[in-house]
Amino acid sequence: MLLNVKESCVSKAISRKLTPEIWSPPTGNNLKFNVDGTTRGKPGPTGIVGVLGNSQGRILCLFSAFVGSHDSNADEVMAIHKACVLCASNHLLTGRNIEFASDSLMAVSWINNASVIGNLKLINIIYDIREHLQQFEGWTVIFNSRETNSEADILA
């Protein structure tokens, strides 16, 4: 399911809610964007997905896209990038605290640690993610185990 974030994200909520048993909600008025990627082969056809939810578990936005042929670390970085681009393009979200959650420890460490370059093929995307993150009131990019990232994992 692909939504046009500029028109649909936040302005109208999706009726389905995230369940706390398989998804840990953000605190307070914060938002959480769970992302995931899936690759068939090394490299192989790659898809990315994301689910943006609020502290009440309401789904505010979903995305899903085919992004070519990549490896498993690249798909996670691309999913985080897509989530950042979508949020940065919506003026209702840039002033919010947003938590981006991925089940790739490698991708999260590449984005969070400025001294880590990561995969040289992804360096421009990683720098672009870091630039987009600066537009938000507050942000975190965190590692979530596959079990607590299951809403995105199911879509992937």
Side-chain angles (χ1 to χ4, degrees):
M1 180 183 302
L2 179 62
L3 297 178
N4 181 340
V5 172
K6 289 183 181 176
E7 295 175 10
S8 300
C9 198
V10 179
S11 64
K12 53 184 171 182
I14 298 166
S15 60
R16 185 168 174 267
K17 288 183 82 172
L18 297 160
T19 57
E21 299 82 40
I22 58 175
W23 178 77
S24 58
T27 58
N29 197 26
N30 298 336
L31 301 175
K32 186 173 187 179
F33 220 136
N34 290 78
V35 300
D36 200 11
T38 184
T39 300
R40 185 175 298 146
K42 293 183 180 183
T46 301
I48 59 172
V49 298
V51 180
L52 177 65
N54 64 15
S55 59
Q56 291 80 42
R58 176 147 332 262
I59 297 174
L60 303 175
C61 182
L62 299 168
F63 74 81
S64 175
F66 172 74
V67 292
S69 182
H70 301 281
D71 64 34
S72 59
N73 288 319
D75 64 10
E76 294 288 337
V77 170
M78 294 174 136
I80 295 168
H81 182 254
K82 181 70 169 178
C84 287
V85 168
L86 291 173
C87 288
S89 71
N90 188 310
H91 73 281
L92 297 173
L93 300 178
T94 54
R96 302 288 298 271
N97 291 321
I98 302 178
E99 184 176 285
F100 298 89
S102 167
D103 61 9
S104 170
L105 190 55
M106 185 77 67
V108 169
S109 68
W110 288 343
I111 292 163
N112 283 329
N113 190 344
S115 65
V116 173
I117 293 176
N119 183 328
L120 291 176
K121 292 179 183 176
L122 299 173
I123 194 66
N124 289 335
I125 294 173
I126 292 168
Y127 282 137
D128 197 48
I129 291 169
R130 291 175 183 166
E131 188 174 309
H132 281 301
L133 290 172
Q134 300 310 312
Q135 297 179 42
F136 305 113
E137 181 71 27
W139 58 269
T140 54
V141 179
I142 63 164
F143 169 74
N144 264 4
S145 67
R146 184 161 291 179
E147 294 78 30
T148 58
N149 203 39
S150 58
E151 287 290 340
D153 194 46
I154 289 166
L155 286 174

